[in-house]
Amino acid sequence: DGQIGDQTDNATPVRPIAIGVRGAWKSLTASDKTASAVNGVQRMVWGDPRDFGLGNNDAINRVDVPTRADQLFWSAVSHGQGFGCGLATGQSGILCWGSDASEQQGDDAGHVTATVPHQLPGTMNFTAVSAGWMGAHACAIGIDTTLRCWGDNTYGQLGGAAGPPVAVPTRPSASGSVWTAISAGWIH
């Protein structure tokens, strides 16, 4: 489905391959069918656009090579299954796109798929964001070093007891620590 980014349908390359353009690659994130990377300040995407998971306003056309997704200036991106979130320069807060089946958009809009990145409510600035795969949740670290999480909470993956989805970035009940890094997993 184009996930490798080399214009083929190869499921698994036999050796590492170079893809896309040369440049100052800052970060890379991938899920089951999509990938994004920040090259300089550009968000480059490739893969299967299902559920608008690439955030490029297209849910039909596969992207076979890294292609600029929008005109924003990005510092970090993270993909979950069918959705993604990131930090863009000049934007306060977090931007998310794609599926919202479990409130993973974090905007309390009621399960509305976002075809392009949109800003989550609030004005807090963040230093890191991580979208969970399969668990349809995300967490972010604020500039005040506190943790905020949102989305699916079926297995307690938002840092507290299992329960219903959380529609906006919320501090987990046991998050009194200073956070410096975060990585949302499958259902944890």
Side-chain angles (χ1 to χ4, degrees):
D1 292 322
Q3 300 95 307
I4 300 296
D6 65 352
Q7 295 182 306
T8 72
D9 285 326
N10 294 338
T12 307
V14 293
R15 61 181 171 72
I17 57 173
I19 61 168
V21 297
R22 294 180 188 259
W25 295 96
K26 290 182 181 177
S27 66
L28 170 68
T29 181
S31 67
D32 61 328
K33 296 197 178 291
T34 59
S36 285
V38 176
N39 183 357
V41 294
Q42 299 176 359
R43 184 170 64 95
M44 310 296 282
V45 299
W46 61 97
D48 184 330
R50 200 171 317 175
D51 297 324
F52 293 98
L54 293 175
N56 63 347
N57 204 27
D58 186 345
I60 299 170
N61 299 300
R62 182 175 89 180
V63 179
D64 290 329
V65 296
T67 304
R68 187 166 186 183
D70 51 50
Q71 298 302 309
L72 296 172
F73 299 106
W74 295 87
S75 60
V77 293
S78 183
H79 273 268
Q81 186 179 23
F83 82 106
C85 295
L87 304 173
T89 304
Q91 305 284 319
S92 65
I94 297 169
L95 289 90
C96 293
W97 60 90
S99 175
D100 195 31
S102 296
E103 302 287 0
Q104 64 265 43
Q105 290 299 314
D107 59 5
D108 200 17
H111 309 292
V112 176
T113 296
T115 62
V116 296
H118 67 96
Q119 190 168 340
L120 274 61
T123 58
M124 183 174 187
N125 287 315
F126 292 86
T127 60
V129 62
S130 182
W133 188 79
M134 196 63 173
H137 66 290
C139 293
I141 299 172
I143 60 171
D144 63 355
T145 71
T146 61
L147 183 67
R148 301 282 195 277
C149 296
W150 62 96
D152 186 25
N153 193 34
T154 303
Y155 303 99
Q157 61 265 49
L158 300 184
V166 174
V168 296
T170 304
R171 284 184 78 169
S173 57
S175 71
S177 301
V178 171
W179 293 85
T180 58
I182 186 71
S183 180
W186 184 11
I187 53 173
H188 60 284

